[in-house]
Amino acid sequence: MNQIKFCKRCLYGDTHPLGLTIDTEGVCSGCRIHEEKDSLDWNYRWSKLEGLVSQYKSNTGKNYDCIIPVSGAGDSYYIVYLAKFKLGLNPLLVTYNKYFNTELGIRNLTNLRTKFDCDILFQNVNPLSVKKITRETFQRFGSIYWHCIAGQTVFPVQVAVKYKIPLILWGAHQGIEQTGMFSHEHEVEMTRRYRKNHDLMGYEAEDLISPFSNLSEGDVWQYFYPQFRDIDSIGVRGVYLGNYVRWDPLGQHELMVDKFNYKTTKFNRTFDVADYVDCYNYINLHDYLKLSKHGYSKITDHATREIRHGRITREHGIHLVRSYELHNPKHLELFCDWLNIDRQGLDFMIKQFQNNNFWTEKNLGEKIFNGWSKYYLDNFKIPNDDVFLGLPNLRSLDSNMQISKNGQEKYITFGRGLT
Amino acid sequence: MALKRIIGVVTVKGGMAVQSIGFNKYLPLGDPVILVENLDKWGADEILLQCIDRTILGVGPDYDLISKIARSGIATPLIYGGGISSVDCAAKAFACGADRLVVESMIRDAPKRLIDIASRFGSQSLIASFPVTLVNGIFSYFDYLSRSPFELSQEILEILKNRIVSEVLLIDSMNEGRINGFDLGILNKVRELQLPPILAFGGVTEPDCMISLLKHPDIAGIAIGNSLNYRESSISHIREALNQMPIRSRYESN
C-alpha cells in the first residue's frame, strides 16, 4: 500500500482500474483534464457540436436523427434534454433491462419518455441467459454487473446498425471524467476497444465462452458487438456530449429535478442521491465488490467529483469517504433470491475477491479493510464545518422518493404487466 | 514501387498504455495487449510497441508483455522498443515474439552492439529511433531522457550509411503527442545524411500531413500513436482519406 501514489488534489490513487498518471507536481491526470472545464471555450465547443449533429438530421422528418441510450437514472434526462430542446433532434431512445430494477427507476424512465415525448426500444434478454452469465462473471472475475454494462453498451450499437441510424449520443466519457484519459479537445468517440478494456473489464461476450464455463454461444450472442464492416458501412459514431458541454452531473441533476420532475433517493453508501436510483445493486453489492477488489468505492468517485468542482475540500472528501464506504450493502437477499444462491455462498464469493493489497487478515477468514482511505492524510482531523456547505441543493434533492413503494422491495420486471 | 506503411504505435509506461505528449505529460489509456489486438483488427501494417521507461529504470525489455501479445494471436508484425541493450536482449525479445526491434539509447551508448545484432539477426530486424527538434531553424537530435540535444558521432553516421539498421524512426519531439503535424522541415535537414528509409512519427494526425509525408521519397511509412484511440476504425478512415497514396488498400477488419 505504501507504494500507491495519491493525487494531492483529489482522492484517486494510481492503482485506479481505468489507469491514472500523476505528474511531477503530484496532480493526477483526472484533475489536470478537469482544469479544461474552466479553461475551454464552451460556446465554441457547443457550436462544433451543432455542426457535427446537423449532418445527421433527417431531411424528411420520417426517421430518427440519433439514438440515445437511457435508463431511469444517470444522465439520461439531461442527454435527452440537450438532444431535443437544444439541438432540435428527433431521438430514438433505447434501454436495456438490467433486471435489478427499482420502482423509482421504472417511474423515472416512464416519466422520461412521456415528458420528452420520445419513442423507445427495450432490450429484454431472457432471464435464464442473464442469470447464467451473471453466475459466470461473478465466479470468474467478481462482477455481478457485467451483463448490465455489456447490454447497455452494445444494444445502442446493434440498433444503430439494424435501423441504419448512425449517430449515438452518450453523456460523459467515464475515462475523461474520472482519470483524464483524453482531453475534451480530442473529441474521443465510442470505441469497441474502450468498451472491452474498461467497461467489460477485458471480457467481451465471446471471451466468456470456454470449455470450462457453463455458457454457450446461445447464452451470450445477444451481447455480440456488430462487425466493424457493418459499423463502417453505416458510419456509426458514438459521440460524447461531455466533450462539447461543460459536464457537471450534480448541477445537471438539479436542473432535471426542477424542470422535468426527475426523482432521487438516499443511499447508505454515498451522499449522492441522483445517480443509479434505478438499480438495487449498483450502489450496494456491485459497489461493495468494487471496494473489495480495488480498495475504494463510488463514494470516492463522488467525493472526487465534488472536490474537482470546488464544492468541497479534500478534507471534506476524506471525511465523507470514511463515513460511508464501510456501510454494509443492502438488498443482498433480493440478489440471492434472484440468482438462486444462499447468503453464505454470496459472502464466500465476496471474500474470494477481497484484494490482499486492501484487506488484511485479522482472524481466520476475517479481513479488515486497509484501502485507499486509510492512507490519505497523516494527522487527519475531521472538519469542523458542514461538509455539505458547498452543496446547498443536495439536501433538497434527497429523500424525495423511496426506491420502492410502501417499502416492498423487489426487482421490477419489464413487461410483466399488472399482477 | 514499394507500398508505404501505416504503423500503429502503442506507448507503454509503468506497464500501462498511455498517450505521451511532449515526452512529459502522460494520459492513461489501458491494457497494452488490448490496444495491440485492436490495431491488429483494424489492419495496421505494423504495430510499434514502445516501452519508454525500461531503459531509465534499468529493467531491460518487457519480455512478459511481448509474450502476452504474441500469445494473443495477432497477425500484424510487431516492432518492439524499450530496454534493448545487448545481443542477448535482442535474441530473447525475438524469441518472445517480436518481429523487429527499435533501439534508441544503444545508438548513443553502445553503437557497436547494433552491428553485432545486425550480424546475427539481419539489418531488416533493426530500426534506429531518433527524436529530433527543429526550433527556429536550428536542428538537433534530442535525448528525451536527459532532455538535451546531442551530436551524432561519426561512428553512428557510419552505421546509418552502411545500412546496419534498415530504417530510421524519426520523431518530431516538438510535436510528439500533439495534433500540430509533423514538421516537414526535418526531412530537408536530414537529407544530406543519406539515412536509411524513414518512418515519420510525432504529430502525424491529420490527412494533409500524412499525404505530404507519404509523397516524400525518403519516407517508407508513417507512425501514428495517440490519435488512433480517438474514434472507431481509425485506420480504415485513414486509408480512405489516403486512397490516392501508395499504401495498402482498405483492410477488411473483423
Side-chain angles (χ1 to χ4, degrees), chain A residues 164-411:
Chain A
K164 296 184 173 46
I165 307 168
L167 181 64
I168 303 172
L169 291 183
W170 301 93
H173 189 287
Q174 186 188 42
I176 293 175
E177 292 295 304
Q178 289 195 10
T179 63
M181 199 175 279
F182 302 96
S183 162
H184 297 90
E185 293 180 291
H186 292 155
E187 295 170 7
V188 67
E189 297 180 7
M190 166 189 84
T191 63
R192 182 175 172 178
R193 193 279 305 175
Y194 179 93
R195 176 180 180 264
K196 175 176 179 174
N197 197 166
H198 298 298
D199 292 335
L200 303 184
M201 298 153 276
Y203 295 88
E204 287 188 297
E206 298 87 334
D207 301 316
L208 296 182
I209 305 168
S210 85
F212 309 105
S213 83
N214 289 323
L215 295 175
S216 65
E217 192 169 304
D219 295 312
V220 301
W221 68 268
Q222 301 93 329
Y223 301 91
F224 286 169
Y225 210 79
Q227 303 277 319
F228 280 132
R229 68 174 72 87
D230 295 328
I231 290 171
D232 289 349
S233 70
I234 308 294
V236 176
R237 294 170 73 176
V239 170
Y240 292 94
L241 297 178
N243 287 326
Y244 305 94
V245 173
R246 188 187 183 278
W247 211 255
D248 175 5
L250 189 60
Q252 284 151 206
H253 276 123
E254 288 166 5
L255 186 67
M256 293 301 104
V257 164
D258 187 43
K259 282 176 99 69
F260 298 104
N261 202 24
Y262 177 80
K263 294 289 188 190
T264 63
T265 194
K266 257 187 175 168
F267 292 104
N268 71 328
R269 288 181 56 74
T270 181
F271 60 85
D272 189 289
V273 298
D275 263 344
Y276 309 111
V277 304
D278 62 337
C279 180
Y280 274 103
N281 291 321
Y282 191 93
I283 298 282
N284 287 292
L285 178 56
H286 172 67
D287 191 48
Y288 196 76
L289 283 165
K290 176 171 168 165
L291 186 77
S292 299
K293 292 188 281 186
H294 300 298
Y296 79 102
S297 58
K298 202 67 193 169
I299 176 65
T300 303
D301 293 324
H302 288 147
T304 292
R305 183 189 73 200
E306 297 309 314
I307 291 168
R308 287 176 179 166
H309 279 284
R311 292 189 282 247
I312 62 175
T313 64
R314 193 168 188 264
E315 288 70 24
H316 289 150
I318 293 170
H319 178 54
L320 284 167
V321 168
R322 289 178 177 170
S323 301
Y324 278 97
E325 73 181 347
L326 291 180
H327 286 173
N328 286 328
K330 293 165 96 171
H331 316 301
L332 298 183
E333 303 303 333
L334 271 183
F335 179 77
C336 289
D337 193 47
W338 178 78
L339 198 62
N340 197 23
I341 59 174
D342 60 33
R343 183 58 196 269
Q344 273 179 316
L346 177 67
D347 290 342
F348 173 80
M349 288 301 295
I350 293 171
K351 285 191 175 131
Q352 292 297 106
F353 290 101
Q354 282 176 330
N355 187 329
N356 289 333
N357 287 323
F358 307 120
W359 296 84
T360 311
E361 185 126 358
K362 183 184 166 189
N363 300 313
L364 189 64
E366 283 298 315
K367 290 184 179 173
I368 55 170
F369 181 65
N370 198 30
W372 284 5
S373 61
K374 302 294 181 194
Y375 295 90
Y376 283 139
L377 275 181
D378 295 329
N379 304 315
F380 173 73
K381 288 197 177 83
I382 296 173
N384 291 327
D385 55 342
D386 179 1
V387 299
F388 295 114
L389 201 62
L391 299 161
N393 294 326
L394 189 65
R395 287 211 166 93
S396 69
L397 286 181
D398 75 11
S399 305
N400 62 7
M401 191 148 177
Q402 299 298 312
I403 56 170
S404 62
K405 272 187 194 168
N406 307 318
Q408 289 175 4
E409 294 170 355
K410 56 179 179 172
Y411 294 167

Side-chain angles (χ1 to χ4, degrees), chain A residues 66-84:
Chain A
C66 65
I67 287 167
I68 300 179
V70 296
S71 68
D75 300 328
S76 301
Y77 275 54
Y78 192 64
I79 299 168
V80 179
Y81 164 70
L82 288 178
K84 278 212 85 166

Side-chain angles (χ1 to χ4, degrees), chain B:
Chain B
M1 180 191 184
L3 295 177
K4 303 197 176 188
R5 287 130 50 215
I6 297 173
I7 299 164
V9 179
V10 176
T11 302
V12 179
K13 185 174 189 287
M16 177 173 59
V18 295
Q19 291 192 68
S20 169
I21 300 165
F23 295 119
N24 67 358
K25 180 176 173 182
Y26 303 99
L27 302 180
L29 276 175
D31 184 341
V33 177
I34 295 179
L35 265 83
V36 167
E37 283 177 347
N38 195 59
L39 290 174
D40 177 59
K41 281 190 186 126
W42 280 355
D45 293 314
E46 279 175 303
I47 297 168
L48 165 56
L49 178 73
Q50 55 172 18
C51 297
I52 59 175
D53 55 349
R54 304 296 292 191
T55 298
I56 199 169
L57 292 175
V59 294
D62 193 340
Y63 301 118
D64 282 343
L65 182 56
I66 302 172
S67 300
K68 264 191 210 160
I69 288 170
R71 281 198 305 273
S72 71
I74 61 166
T76 309
L78 179 69
I79 309 168
Y80 173 81
I84 303 284
S85 59
S86 67
V87 176
D88 287 343
C89 281
K92 197 166 172 192
F94 288 130
C96 287
D99 297 295
R100 302 173 79 196
L101 300 178
V102 66
V103 293
E104 189 181 312
S105 306
M106 197 199 296
I107 302 168
R108 286 191 316 278
D109 302 336
K112 284 205 169 61
R113 287 185 205 157
L114 281 175
I115 301 172
D116 297 334
I117 295 174
S119 300
R120 184 155 162 199
F121 299 105
S123 300
Q124 81 289 341
S125 68
L126 277 177
I127 301 168
S129 171
F130 290 107
V132 298
T133 59
L134 180 61
V135 181
N136 298 326
I138 300 171
F139 176 84
S140 55
Y141 295 92
F142 181 72
D143 177 358
Y144 84 92
L145 290 178
S146 62
R147 310 200 73 77
S148 56
F150 77 95
E151 289 280 330
L152 284 191
S153 67
Q154 198 53 44
E155 190 177 14
I156 295 172
L157 289 170
E158 284 300 313
I159 284 172
L160 295 173
K161 257 198 199 123
N162 293 334
R163 299 295 188 261
I164 301 299
V165 297
S166 59
E167 289 175 328
V168 163
L169 180 72
L170 212 54
I171 305 174
D172 181 351
S173 303
M174 299 305 296
N175 291 309
E176 193 262 350
R178 299 188 168 95
I179 53 175
N180 301 339
F182 185 98
D183 189 340
L184 289 166
I186 290 170
L187 298 178
N188 296 334
K189 292 286 183 186
V190 300
R191 282 221 97 176
E192 64 205 36
L193 297 172
Q194 297 176 301
L195 294 177
I198 292 169
L199 307 174
F201 180 48
V204 183
T205 52
E206 296 298 322
D208 286 347
C209 170
M210 295 177 195
I211 289 169
S212 300
L213 285 167
L214 291 171
K215 280 180 175 171
H216 198 286
D218 297 340
I219 291 290
I222 51 176
I224 309 166
N226 298 347
S227 60
L228 289 181
N229 298 288
Y230 299 164
R231 62 180 304 192
E232 192 67 272
S233 299
S234 293
I235 294 194
S236 293
H237 293 300
I238 288 169
R239 289 195 193 282
E240 268 176 40
L242 304 179
N243 60 9
Q244 302 297 322
M245 292 292 107
I247 57 169
R248 191 160 56 113
S249 60
R250 185 188 166 88
Y251 176 83
E252 279 299 323
S253 57
N254 201 4

Side-chain angles (χ1 to χ4, degrees), chain A residues 18-47:
Chain A
L18 294 182
L20 188 87
T21 57
I22 295 181
D23 66 22
T24 51
E25 293 178 36
V27 179
C28 77
S29 43
C31 285
R32 286 297 183 205
I33 294 299
H34 185 89
E35 289 171 358
E36 292 182 350
K37 287 189 195 277
D38 296 318
S39 64
L40 289 175
D41 181 348
W42 292 104
N43 290 331
Y44 165 69
R45 299 212 60 70
W46 178 258
S47 66

